[in-house]
Amino acid sequence: MTLEKSKQMYEKAKTLIPGGVSSPVRAIKPYPFYTVSGNGSKIRDLDGNEYIDYCLAYGPEILGHNNPIIKKAIISQLDKGWLYGTPTELEVSLAEKIIGYYPSLEMLRFVSTGTEATMSALRLARGYTGKNKFVKIEGGFHGAHDAVLVKAGSGATTLGKPDSRGIPADFTKYTLQTPFNELETMTALVEKNREELAAVIMEPVQGNVGPILPEPGYLQEVRKLTKENDVLLIFDEVITGFRLAMGGAQEYYGVVPDMTTLGKIVGGGLPIGVFGGRSDIMEMVAPSGPVYQAGTFSGSPCSLAAGIAVLDYMKKEALHRKLNAKGDTLRKALSEIIADKGLNYSVSGIASMFKVFFGAKPKNYQDVLKCDKEAYLAFFHKMLASGIFLPPSQFETNFLSAAHTEEDLEKTLEAYKENL
Ligand SMILES: *Cc1c(COP(=O)(O)O)cnc(C)c1O
């Protein structure tokens, strides 16, 4: 396997784009491969190598790459133009569908990214409650805006400090942190701050250091705690929305948040974000209310058309039943490989999300940090050489798509056997 052309492209990219990439996680060391096309479960690079893809653009491509049904919907929209700056029927239609799947959403607004969705949701929570603080979970990632870049996934270890230069500590002083799956710590934090606390924002399944699953009853208890203390509960379902079930983690676990953010899958692979919730909260958003929010590309027609296509297809095919079963099979086989080898590694996951942790099964962010990152990176490169593209970090979830075949999975398990 050669990566010569990718290597040369990366040398050039580094002179033009910081770190050579458009988003940091893509900067695989020593250099990333450059993708030229994707089809079904596979992507192909500049040097002609083909990989079975378990990164899937970090979540959105639940039907695999270049899905013909989504493509058709996009092309059909392109024929009519792709940006108007006026309302369209598409947004009404997709809003109605999403609200149908998420009973906790009575109203929603479309934005262009998950980052914008959580930024707007937090502003709204603050505007609605008149309170400034919010609680996030350590290792929870909610996009790359100032208030949430504190212990946001793999980057951060420093206590209470922003993860990034350029964020005044004043901007994160309202951001409180608590570990996942530790109810006592959260209870103390919420009760102590309740007078100033607008919301708790959380990924119901931690996807950006995981997957790490909520322990039985944990989400239900968080719901109870927030309700009792008059604090809004925001589920960031940018990954889990339409991934665990049509109704996301809230359907899967039967917990009803006050507000929800969506993204990734719901745009069919085109840029999108959604925030929504109870209508008394959502009515506070401009122009019906005083919380400002706006965007040139919000409700972009091609994203909406692609979103409608993917949701309708998943519903029609009852996709999650098959896809989640595929996930169960894969996780079981991976666990067996690890047991056979006598490794002290673990397999974590749910539905079509999975990960081999190079360490004991983590319960929260602090546990994940104990995993062997260096060994994982070496393993990642071996897998790549075997034609398997996993996310390049120990801290990123792997995804399955509907396009992954039996043969793909067999080849993948062989590669795990060989390379672990
Ligand atoms: C990806 C992600 C975001 C950010 O979405 P972008 O579209 O990348 O801005 C927010 N929250 C979660 C849970 C995510 O996984």
Side-chain angles (χ1 to χ4, degrees), residues 113-115 141-143 203 208 236 238-239 264:
T113 63
T115 296
F141 179 70
H142 306 291
E203 299 173 73
N208 288 279
D236 181 355
V238 170
I239 285 185
K264 296 195 169 122

Side-chain angles (χ1 to χ4, degrees), residues 174-192:
Y174 298 119
T175 310
L176 313 178
Q177 299 276 342
T178 189
F180 197 56
N181 279 329
E182 276 189 28
L183 201 61
E184 273 176 38
T185 325
M186 187 192 269
T187 303
L189 192 66
V190 168
E191 286 177 351
K192 178 162 174 263

Side-chain angles (χ1 to χ4, degrees), residues 77-78 81-86 88 90-91 94 110-112 266-267 270-273 295-308:
Q77 180 55 44
L78 283 175
W82 46 88
L83 193 65
Y84 314 124
T86 70
T88 62
L90 290 163
E91 65 201 354
L94 185 55
F110 291 108
V111 291
S112 299
V266 71
L270 296 189
I272 201 163
T296 302
F297 296 103
S298 295
S300 192
C302 287
S303 298
L304 299 172
I308 291 168

Side-chain angles (χ1 to χ4, degrees), residues 55-131:
C55 186
L56 295 167
Y58 295 91
E61 300 279 78
I62 194 166
L63 301 186
H65 297 284
N66 203 2
N67 176 272
I69 291 160
I70 301 180
K71 180 154 74 180
K72 194 165 155 235
I74 297 170
I75 291 173
S76 144
Q77 180 55 44
L78 283 175
D79 277 339
K80 297 177 245 174
W82 46 88
L83 193 65
Y84 314 124
T86 70
T88 62
E89 270 181 58
L90 290 163
E91 65 201 354
V92 181
S93 166
L94 185 55
E96 194 174 28
K97 286 180 196 294
I98 295 171
I99 286 167
Y101 293 123
Y102 291 77
S104 73
L105 269 69
E106 292 171 347
M107 299 182 97
L108 60 78
R109 163 95 20 117
F110 291 108
V111 291
S112 299
T113 63
T115 296
E116 256 186 288
T118 64
M119 185 180 77
S120 309
L122 285 168
R123 182 184 300 153
L124 175 57
R126 287 164 158 171
Y128 175 82
T129 59
K131 302 190 274 188

Side-chain angles (χ1 to χ4, degrees), residues 5 17 81 224 418:
K5 286 182 183 160
I17 305 171
K224 212 167 113 207
E418 203 178 299

Side-chain angles (χ1 to χ4, degrees), residues 188-238:
L189 192 66
V190 168
E191 286 177 351
K192 178 162 174 263
N193 291 280
R194 66 184 300 260
E195 296 303 327
E196 298 162 274
L197 202 54
V200 169
I201 185 168
M202 66 190 299
E203 299 173 73
V205 170
Q206 286 210 294
N208 288 279
V209 286
I212 303 178
L213 274 52
E215 289 178 345
Y218 173 66
L219 296 175
Q220 284 79 359
E221 288 298 325
V222 171
R223 172 65 284 188
K224 212 167 113 207
L225 174 71
T226 45
K227 194 168 258 165
E228 280 169 6
N229 286 281
D230 219 2
V231 169
L232 296 176
L233 178 60
I234 307 174
F235 273 180
D236 181 355
E237 296 226 44
V238 170

